[in-house]
Amino acid sequence: MYPLTIESPQNGVKKQTILIVEDNTLNMMLLNDLLEVHGYAILKTSHGAEALTMARDYHPDLILLDIQLPDISGLEVARTLKDDHETRDIPIIAVTAFAMPGDEEKALESGCDGYVAKPISVHRFLGTVRSFLSRSAP
Ligand code: MN
């Protein structure tokens, strides 16, 4: 007997989509594999400017946003997305390395909805992801 809630294109249930914005290759791979294994469809970029375009074009269900990016800061990305009526409803979880005092406040002030410090705890991280996806569910 199959579980009733398999999320697959075959039974017409759309996978929830997560946009990962991360310029560190290893972190990107870890996040991608972890979330893919848990059934999410993944979009990826390592640049803030591209994150803005992808958020508008694909309207993902959730954005995981690294704060240190090579072009524009993740904080700027968050502010821009939250200023745009087309993207402001997408929940954003900030992901930061080398967490400094005040990072979480800065992320939340910039419009991020949640905050996770690297290295991530897998169990807590998945819990955070699920909690934001269920809030945005139709
Ligand atoms: Mn980075």
Side-chain angles (χ1 to χ4, degrees):
M1 204 172 127
Y2 295 100
L4 295 171
T5 53
I6 297 175
E7 290 189 348
S8 68
Q10 285 81 6
N11 64 10
V13 178
K14 191 177 164 285
K15 282 188 183 184
Q16 287 179 302
T17 302
I18 300 177
L19 170 61
I20 307 174
V21 188
E22 169 65 83
D23 63 315
N24 178 287
T25 311
L26 181 61
N27 284 333
M28 174 63 92
M29 211 164 69
L30 293 171
L31 291 171
N32 177 77
D33 292 356
L34 176 65
L35 293 167
E36 221 167 47
V37 153
H38 284 82
Y40 300 108
I42 306 300
L43 296 166
K44 288 179 274 195
T45 179
S46 55
H47 285 75
E50 193 174 44
L52 295 174
T53 312
M54 290 175 85
R56 289 187 196 114
D57 289 353
Y58 298 103
H59 206 277
D61 297 292
L62 178 70
I63 298 173
L64 294 178
L65 181 61
D66 180 25
I67 295 302
Q68 276 96 26
L69 294 169
D71 53 347
I72 51 177
S73 139
L75 298 177
E76 189 58 40
V77 171
R79 276 193 287 269
T80 305
L81 292 174
K82 293 299 180 180
D83 276 344
D84 184 336
H85 71 277
E86 284 185 37
T87 52
R88 73 165 52 124
D89 61 315
I90 306 170
I92 301 174
I93 302 176
V95 184
T96 68
F98 319 114
M100 304 284 281
D103 271 4
E104 179 166 10
E105 289 72 17
K106 272 186 238 165
L108 299 179
E109 276 166 22
S110 303
C112 296
D113 302 278
Y115 173 87
V116 170
K118 289 183 255 188
I120 60 162
S121 136
V122 169
H123 184 77
R124 268 186 57 191
F125 173 71
L126 287 172
T128 304
V129 165
R130 285 194 193 104
S131 74
F132 280 104
L133 285 169
S134 63
R135 275 179 234 179
S136 69

PDB file of all heavy atoms in Angstrom, residues 22-23 66 68-69, ligand 1:
ATOM      1  N   GLU A  22      23.097  30.766  -2.387  1.00  0.00           N
ATOM      2  CA  GLU A  22      24.291  30.393  -1.604  1.00  0.00           C
ATOM      3  C   GLU A  22      25.486  30.357  -2.539  1.00  0.00           C
ATOM      4  O   GLU A  22      25.421  29.728  -3.589  1.00  0.00           O
ATOM      5  CB  GLU A  22      24.036  29.005  -0.977  1.00  0.00           C
ATOM      6  CG  GLU A  22      25.235  28.338  -0.348  1.00  0.00           C
ATOM      7  CD  GLU A  22      25.775  29.078   0.852  1.00  0.00           C
ATOM      8  OE1 GLU A  22      25.244  28.901   1.960  1.00  0.00           O
ATOM      9  OE2 GLU A  22      26.741  29.848   0.664  1.00  0.00           O
ATOM     10  N   ASP A  23      26.571  31.058  -2.174  1.00  0.00           N
ATOM     11  CA  ASP A  23      27.735  31.097  -3.058  1.00  0.00           C
ATOM     12  C   ASP A  23      28.810  30.091  -2.678  1.00  0.00           C
ATOM     13  O   ASP A  23      29.785  29.924  -3.404  1.00  0.00           O
ATOM     14  CB  ASP A  23      28.345  32.513  -3.103  1.00  0.00           C
ATOM     15  CG  ASP A  23      28.864  32.950  -1.748  1.00  0.00           C
ATOM     16  OD1 ASP A  23      28.153  32.743  -0.743  1.00  0.00           O
ATOM     17  OD2 ASP A  23      29.982  33.496  -1.686  1.00  0.00           O
ATOM     18  N   ASP A  66      21.562  33.094   1.816  1.00  0.00           N
ATOM     19  CA  ASP A  66      22.865  33.359   2.425  1.00  0.00           C
ATOM     20  C   ASP A  66      23.036  34.876   2.499  1.00  0.00           C
ATOM     21  O   ASP A  66      22.636  35.592   1.582  1.00  0.00           O
ATOM     22  CB  ASP A  66      23.954  32.723   1.543  1.00  0.00           C
ATOM     23  CG  ASP A  66      25.359  32.941   2.082  1.00  0.00           C
ATOM     24  OD1 ASP A  66      25.517  33.145   3.303  1.00  0.00           O
ATOM     25  OD2 ASP A  66      26.304  32.897   1.262  1.00  0.00           O
ATOM     26  N   GLN A  68      26.082  36.549   3.083  1.00  0.00           N
ATOM     27  CA  GLN A  68      27.325  36.954   2.399  1.00  0.00           C
ATOM     28  C   GLN A  68      27.342  36.415   0.978  1.00  0.00           C
ATOM     29  O   GLN A  68      27.586  35.229   0.756  1.00  0.00           O
ATOM     30  CB  GLN A  68      28.564  36.432   3.149  1.00  0.00           C
ATOM     31  CG  GLN A  68      29.007  37.312   4.300  1.00  0.00           C
ATOM     32  CD  GLN A  68      28.464  36.839   5.622  1.00  0.00           C
ATOM     33  OE1 GLN A  68      28.172  35.655   5.799  1.00  0.00           O
ATOM     34  NE2 GLN A  68      28.301  37.751   6.565  1.00  0.00           N
ATOM     35  N   LEU A  69      27.087  37.289   0.022  1.00  0.00           N
ATOM     36  CA  LEU A  69      27.061  36.897  -1.386  1.00  0.00           C
ATOM     37  C   LEU A  69      28.081  37.733  -2.145  1.00  0.00           C
ATOM     38  O   LEU A  69      28.477  38.806  -1.695  1.00  0.00           O
ATOM     39  CB  LEU A  69      25.654  37.137  -1.959  1.00  0.00           C
ATOM     40  CG  LEU A  69      24.547  36.245  -1.360  1.00  0.00           C
ATOM     41  CD1 LEU A  69      23.183  36.743  -1.799  1.00  0.00           C
ATOM     42  CD2 LEU A  69      24.757  34.789  -1.765  1.00  0.00           C
TER      43      LEU A  69
HETATM   44 MN    MN B   1      28.252  33.242   1.263  1.00  0.00          MN
END
